[in-house]
């Protein structure tokens, strides 16, 4: 009998169908995110009085999400917070309350299909001890991993407190998904969604580079399971430039034990790059064993049908496609995630 492998989308987001008033719950002044319900199936994510993002029911309704997964041939989704909820700029006490509210609601979103919807939590990353406590609480409650932003203010991922949190994730065997957020703003970046089209890839590039040149990977254990969104941003395209700089300007750049390309096996990326030329580059640089299907569902800049790019890539072998569609993600999530059980049930049926 052929081995049945679950197709796993490791990059999706949720927005609950409403939540308590965050100003009242935290005592912190606005603007806070809230949901304006426009109909049973449509809503607007608000930030204070500003319209932030239109949403459809798939953001909160498990039945809508599962129907889309079935249509796309996806067995499992990792369901992560929408980065707007991170609240890293807030006081720690406020961010703790926000994290607990949304983490508990994430379990409700995923509860109708616990083997198919895998919740990742958020943490108050501005406070290392509080972040570790919330991760522990969430792992005990059913979350499988954590989504973090790629920076906290001016603190990048090589910051000592964030490294301590990542070490804790490794100790707890928790997968970590890094998503760019809080992109720089300027008049030049406010046109054409340039903050998303240029700022997001640059943010991810910088955060990976910080883990390398800031010595983060030299301090963290190799078994830390770490994945970066959107194909690693612009990082994979510029590995050669960074290696060249490491060798040519060691006085400024050779701050890691090895050149940047040495660390490519220390993290994974998702497949949300949207064309075959980009995917081929990603495979050449990262290897097919470090790429996982990621769609950015349910947002409009995501891939539908999820996994179409990988399935239609003629330059990939069948084994590589299987790795990227699910095999790598099963290892990323770990044996306790329920994905192995789902695959076994599919084989039995």
């Amino acid at each position: 009998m052929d081995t049945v492998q679950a197709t796993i989308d490791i990059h999706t987001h949720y927005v609950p169908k409403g939540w308590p008033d965050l100003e009242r719950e935290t005592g912190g002044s606005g603007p806070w995110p809230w949901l304006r319900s426009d109909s049973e199936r449509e809503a607007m994510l608000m930030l204070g009085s500003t319209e932030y993002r239109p949403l459809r029911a798939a953001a909160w309704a498990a039945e809508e999400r599962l129907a889309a997964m079935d249509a796309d041939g996806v067995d499992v989704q990792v369901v992560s917070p929408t980065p707007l909820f991170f609240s890293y700029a807030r006081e720690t006490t406020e961010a703790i309350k926000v994290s607990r509210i949304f983490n508990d609601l994430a379990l409700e979103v995923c509860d109708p299909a616990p083997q198919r919807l895998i919740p990742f939590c958020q943490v108050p990353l501005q406070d290392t001890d509080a972040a570790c406590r919330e991760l522990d609480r969430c792992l005990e409650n059913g979350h499988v991993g954590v989504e973090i932003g790629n920076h906290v203010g001016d603190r990048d991922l090589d910051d000592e407190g964030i490294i301590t949190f990542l070490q804790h994730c490794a100790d707890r065997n928790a997968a970590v998904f890094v998503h760019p957020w809080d992109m720089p703003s300027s008049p030049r970046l406010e046109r054409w969604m340039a903050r998303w089209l240029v700022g997001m890839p640059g943010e991810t590039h910088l955060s990976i580079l910080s883990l390398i040149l800031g010595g983060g990977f030299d301090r963290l254990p190799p078994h830390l399971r770490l994945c970066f969104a959107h194909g690693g941003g612009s990082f994979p395209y510029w590995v050669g430039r960074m290696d060249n700089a490491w060798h040519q300007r060691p006085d400024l750049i050779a701050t890691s034990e090895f050149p940047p390309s040495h660390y490519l096996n220390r993290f994974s990326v998702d497949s949300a790059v949207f064309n075959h030329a980009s995917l081929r580059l990603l495979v050449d640089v990262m290897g097919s064993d470090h790429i996982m299907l990621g769609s950015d569902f349910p947002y409009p800049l995501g891939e539908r049908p999820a996994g179409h790019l990988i399935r239609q890539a003629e330059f990939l072998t069948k084994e590589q496609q299987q790795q990227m569609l699910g095999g790598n993600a099963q290892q990323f999530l770990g044996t306790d995630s329920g994905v192995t059980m789902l695959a076994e049930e599919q084989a039995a049926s």
Side-chain angles (χ1 to χ4, degrees), residues 127-331:
D127 185 296
T128 303
D129 290 341
C132 292
R133 288 195 300 270
E134 181 61 12
L135 176 69
D136 291 346
R137 187 187 78 91
C138 289
L139 293 177
E140 292 171 3
N141 287 345
H143 293 81
V144 172
V146 58
E147 180 189 61
I148 64 172
N150 69 301
H151 67 106
V152 177
D154 290 330
R155 298 163 55 199
D156 224 315
L157 296 187
D158 63 320
D159 174 83
E160 195 61 41
I162 299 176
I163 291 293
T164 298
F165 174 74
L166 293 174
Q167 175 67 64
H168 186 70
C169 292
D171 293 343
R172 293 301 313 271
N173 202 31
V176 181
F177 185 63
V178 184
H179 197 287
W181 86 296
D182 194 30
M183 294 80 69
S185 178
S186 75
R188 295 175 62 232
L189 291 170
E190 292 304 322
R191 301 189 295 170
W192 318 307
M193 292 190 73
R195 293 177 67 200
W196 280 259
L197 300 180
V198 178
M200 271 196 167
E203 282 290 333
T204 302
H205 183 157
L206 179 58
S207 59
I208 298 173
L209 190 63
S210 76
L211 277 176
I212 295 172
L213 299 184
F217 284 128
D218 293 331
R219 288 176 278 161
L220 288 166
H223 68 270
L224 172 67
R225 302 198 305 275
L226 191 66
C227 179
F228 289 85
H230 310 132
S234 53
F235 180 89
Y237 189 83
W238 290 110
V239 172
R241 179 176 176 85
M242 290 178 286
D243 271 6
N244 181 66
W246 193 91
H247 289 290
Q248 298 302 323
R249 288 302 308 269
D251 54 318
L252 295 176
I253 296 170
T255 50
S256 53
E257 186 175 354
F258 301 101
S261 60
H262 175 85
Y263 300 91
L264 292 174
N265 67 345
R266 296 294 300 275
F267 62 94
S268 297
V269 299
D270 73 16
S271 64
V273 294
F274 303 102
N275 69 52
H276 286 142
S278 298
L279 183 62
R280 185 191 295 269
L281 171 73
L282 206 57
V283 173
D284 288 344
V285 173
M286 297 298 303
S288 59
D289 56 339
H290 286 81
I291 303 169
M292 297 180 277
L293 166 61
S295 71
D296 214 350
F297 180 92
Y299 296 135
L301 297 188
E303 182 193 32
R304 291 295 308 274
H308 180 77
L309 183 70
I310 295 172
R311 294 187 179 101
Q312 298 301 314
E314 296 181 356
F315 58 88
L316 294 175
T317 67
K318 187 67 174 178
E319 179 184 2
Q320 288 175 315
Q321 289 178 327
Q322 290 178 341
Q323 283 180 312
M324 294 160 65
L325 287 171
N328 297 334
Q330 188 164 322
Q331 295 180 28

Side-chain angles (χ1 to χ4, degrees), residues 17 35-45 53-61 64:
K17 182 61 170 173
L35 196 68
R36 188 189 75 202
S37 295
D38 297 331
S39 71
E40 284 297 315
R41 296 175 54 84
E42 295 182 338
M44 178 65 69
L45 181 57
R53 177 176 293 160
L55 299 170
R56 297 187 65 82
W60 59 80
E64 298 271 352

